[in-house]
Amino acid sequence: MFSRVFSGGISGIDAHMVCVEADISGGLPQFHMVGLPSSEVKEARERVFRALSNTGIDIPPRKITVNLSPAGIRKQGSGFDMPIAVAILSALGIIRADSLENKVFAGELSLDGHINKVNGILPIALAARQEGFRTLVVPRENVFEGAVIEDLRISGVSDLKELIRALNEDTLSASEYISLEQELKKAYEQEKMDYRDIKGQESAKRATQVAVAGFHNLLYIGPPGSGKSMLARCIPTILSRMDREECLEISKIYSVMGLLENQSLMLRRPFRSPHHSITASALIGGMGNPRPGEITLAHKGVLFLDEAAEFKKDVIEMLRQPMEEKQAVISRLSGNIVFPADFMLVMAMNPCRCGFYPDRQMCRCTQSEVDRYFGKIRGPVLDRIDICTATFRLDTSDFSGEGTDSAQMREQVRKAQKVQYERFRGTDIRFNSQMRQREIEQYCVLGDRDKELLDKAYRRYHLTARGYYKVLKVARTIADLEGCDSISKKHLTEAISYRNTYE
Ligand SMILES: [Zn+2]
């Protein structure tokens, strides 16, 4: 007696189809599982047997062999429980074999036969549709992950008894299709934070807007309590809306990690703010059983390092390569796993250890202490900061009046990004911050006077060559925010004011 069903396995943040075969034959009663199962998958044996028994199904004392193929890929997670049970039940003739056609199964079993939710249903749903399957049967709590996918029927089940009956009677439920476009639109309307509520700090808000418009990495420097982290936390309110493809790409990461909340995909760009005690593998991605790190959870959104000087220097330096390649490569014996990591880096720090430099009435740090404080983040990551901006302790006069609100700022960002989209159409560049020297020479042309101004700043502020090009890229973004084709003195002067004096 032989049966075969399909399931999905996860590798990185993508899924591949796995065929689960069950064979029941005479001979000594035993259970074999072959096809490179991990220890979690091997434990399926116990769960499946107890779940079947508690559902009132007695497994005859025969030799049962379960094979997961392709054999070359390691199978991980508890999502194979349900397909293994279904394959055995079908081999025993308890489930009609023809009811399994065109279907994919994934779910974990608890000992009483309940079907529990599992991670990674969204990538499995995408892979199932890609491979032409018609129906995906999943734990009821996971249904929302597949409901946004066209041309795939998602069926949620609660326990084994329900599953057996629905397959035999051909009464599997089908969840309603959810329009992702509408969900994305709604998400913006429910926004609670707003830059309007940050009083004063207009210049830091402006710098933030420029940074977001050109996807430039950003550093806030200011005394404690000057609102650095509030400024950063409001960034999602001015980021451009995601399209369907971006939403699915980001949601796949969160699905694999089991981080999708409130029965919803990721409808907003991520904002990740790891604590400064974070380890290198939690930031970049895990080694043993490869898991995405914070930089991948921040993909297409913001990675915010508050109190940047408190992070371990070697942990911060680990960011260099992923920032260059926009991905994290986790090498393993069985081959590399690549996780996407294209994020905007935002850092915030005090100007010195006590936090009050250059206010000499408050700050008692010596100049060399101040230098040493910056030394902690100086290097390959600080080099990649395009925009530095200062925040100040507020004066009581700042508390009244209306500030610029997020809706206004977002609309200008949207326009500036549209200009960039047209400019770089057909290239691998999406934003001004990604321009290389060739594009800078092509798109950041200065008039003679303005060139002279920049040369003067270069000498006066001891800019590096990299710093010189950063000013040009940022000036390009400022001109785009104003809808200007060419960079003028005003744009250049503002860009010079954001120069990174710490690299
Ligand atoms: Zn100080």
Side-chain angles (χ1 to χ4, degrees):
M1 290 179 286
F2 169 85
S3 175
R4 168 190 291 158
V5 303
F6 284 91
S7 186
I10 304 290
S11 166
I13 59 164
D14 289 304
H16 50 87
M17 288 296 109
V18 171
C19 177
V20 179
E21 295 170 324
D23 178 79
I24 299 176
S25 59
L28 287 175
Q30 50 184 319
F31 183 95
H32 276 303
M33 184 140 37
V34 293
L36 216 58
S38 67
S39 55
E40 294 162 285
V41 177
K42 281 182 192 148
E43 286 166 5
R45 173 188 191 278
E46 297 307 320
R47 287 191 298 269
V48 169
F49 273 65
R50 293 311 310 155
L52 287 172
S53 157
N54 287 327
T55 305
I57 296 161
D58 286 320
I59 302 289
R62 312 281 279 282
K63 181 180 172 189
I64 300 176
T65 308
V66 169
N67 177 36
L68 308 175
S69 68
I73 304 175
R74 191 165 181 78
K75 318 298 182 309
Q76 271 159 346
S78 48
F80 293 109
D81 292 5
M82 193 229 280
I84 289 171
V86 170
I88 292 173
L89 288 169
S90 169
L92 289 170
I94 295 172
I95 289 179
R96 273 172 32 217
D98 66 313
S99 72
L100 308 181
E101 275 167 31
N102 263 321
K103 294 188 180 72
V104 175
F105 297 83
E108 181 189 298
L109 291 176
S110 62
L111 302 183
D112 63 358
H114 191 85
I115 296 172
N116 297 331
K117 69 171 184 186
V118 288
N119 295 349
I121 290 297
L122 176 61
I124 292 173
L126 288 165
R129 186 197 49 181
Q130 179 98 28
E131 298 287 327
F133 286 93
R134 309 290 272 284
T135 303
L136 174 62
V137 183
V138 298
R140 186 147 276 142
E141 292 102 303
N142 284 118
V143 163
F144 74 96
E145 293 185 50
V148 297
I149 294 169
E150 286 151 332
D151 306 325
L152 183 73
R153 195 166 82 138
I154 300 291
S155 185
V157 283
S158 299
D159 58 46
L160 266 182
K161 221 178 247 170
E162 178 193 345
L163 176 62
I164 295 166
R165 192 174 51 236
L167 285 170
N168 283 335
E169 295 173 3
D170 204 11
T171 54
L172 271 178
S173 63
S175 88
E176 224 171 286
Y177 173 72
I178 296 172
S179 159
L180 195 49
E181 284 74 10
Q182 276 182 19
E183 295 288 304
L184 286 165
K185 199 159 165 250
K186 259 193 279 172
Y188 264 92
E189 288 157 8
Q190 288 162 354
E191 181 56 58
K192 288 189 190 68
M193 298 219 289
D194 199 302
Y195 274 114
R196 188 198 307 123
D197 302 328
I198 300 183
K199 308 287 184 197
Q201 311 296 5
E202 287 298 315
S203 65
K205 273 158 77 171
R206 166 69 181 175
T208 308
Q209 186 190 27
V210 175
V212 170
F215 220 59
H216 299 280
N217 297 323
L218 172 67
L219 171 64
Y220 297 109
I221 297 177
S226 59
K228 302 185 290 283
S229 56
M230 255 309 272
L231 281 160
R233 283 174 202 285
C234 275
I235 289 178
T237 67
I238 61 168
L239 292 172
S240 62
R241 192 184 288 174
M242 286 191 285
D243 61 25
R244 181 187 172 82
E245 292 311 309
E246 285 179 306
C247 172
L248 290 177
E249 190 183 358
I250 298 166
S251 297
K252 269 201 309 188
I253 299 167
Y254 282 72
S255 171
V256 168
M257 293 290 280
L259 293 175
L260 289 175
E261 286 172 354
N262 306 324
Q263 297 270 306
S264 165
L265 298 189
M266 289 290 290
L267 301 174
R268 314 293 312 273
R269 290 181 188 275
F271 179 91
R272 302 296 297 186
S273 169
H275 187 256
H276 56 71
S277 61
I278 192 169
T279 61
S281 69
L283 185 64
I284 308 298
M287 296 298 186
N289 178 5
R291 287 163 69 85
E294 286 291 331
I295 59 170
T296 295
L297 294 174
H299 182 55
K300 303 260 178 189
V302 175
L303 179 70
F304 175 48
L305 305 184
D306 203 358
E307 311 280 359
E310 303 298 323
F311 283 75
K312 285 190 214 79
K313 198 171 161 79
D314 55 330
V315 170
I316 293 242
E317 280 177 0
M318 296 278 292
L319 287 171
R320 187 183 61 83
Q321 200 164 1
M323 283 178 74
E324 203 155 289
E325 297 171 358
K326 304 201 183 305
Q327 59 185 29
V329 182
I330 313 289
S331 43
R332 300 197 307 157
L333 282 174
S334 54
N336 291 347
I337 296 225
V338 175
F339 292 120
D342 183 5
F343 55 89
M344 174 180 166
L345 178 68
V346 178
M347 300 204 284
M349 63 187 290
N350 295 339
C352 66
R353 199 167 45 79
C354 80
F356 297 103
Y357 179 85
D359 180 348
R360 279 311 191 181
Q361 284 186 320
M362 305 270 286
C363 171
R364 299 262 176 262
C365 303
T366 65
Q367 191 58 47
S368 67
E369 278 171 335
V370 173
D371 289 345
R372 210 175 319 132
Y373 190 74
F374 271 95
K376 291 177 85 171
I377 61 159
R378 189 166 283 136
V381 172
L382 198 56
D383 285 354
R384 284 175 174 72
I385 298 282
D386 287 355
I387 294 184
C388 281
T389 184
T391 57
F392 304 98
R393 275 157 61 83
L394 292 184
D395 202 69
T396 46
S397 65
D398 293 322
F399 297 156
S400 56
E402 282 275 287
T404 319
D405 67 25
S406 289
Q408 278 170 285
M409 292 167 74
R410 184 169 67 240
E411 180 55 19
Q412 288 170 333
V413 165
R414 191 187 64 76
K415 284 186 183 152
Q417 291 190 339
K418 194 157 169 259
V419 172
Q420 295 169 70
Y421 181 78
E422 296 298 332
R423 174 179 303 138
F424 302 121
R425 191 191 278 270
T427 71
D428 61 340
I429 293 180
R430 177 75 188 78
F431 297 108
N432 291 333
S433 56
Q434 297 158 349
M435 285 192 284
R436 294 159 294 233
Q437 190 159 345
R438 193 160 53 92
E439 289 85 14
I440 294 173
E441 280 164 12
Q442 188 176 351
Y443 298 115
C444 306
V445 181
L446 298 182
D448 288 344
R449 284 235 179 119
D450 296 332
K451 174 129 194 350
E452 218 169 277
L453 175 73
L454 181 56
D455 288 348
K456 234 186 239 168
Y458 176 74
R459 286 190 299 271
R460 178 150 157 224
Y461 301 119
H462 308 289
L463 296 183
T464 58
R466 193 207 313 273
Y468 182 91
Y469 288 117
K470 277 185 202 170
V471 168
L472 282 171
K473 288 193 277 189
V474 172
R476 179 67 267 165
T477 301
I478 295 168
D480 289 343
L481 272 167
E482 282 202 6
C484 297
D485 283 341
S486 53
I487 298 173
S488 70
K489 184 180 171 189
K490 190 170 62 160
H491 310 134
L492 198 58
T493 313
E494 185 180 344
I496 291 169
S497 77
Y498 298 139
R499 72 190 177 279
N500 181 344
T501 45
Y502 306 96
E503 63 176 278

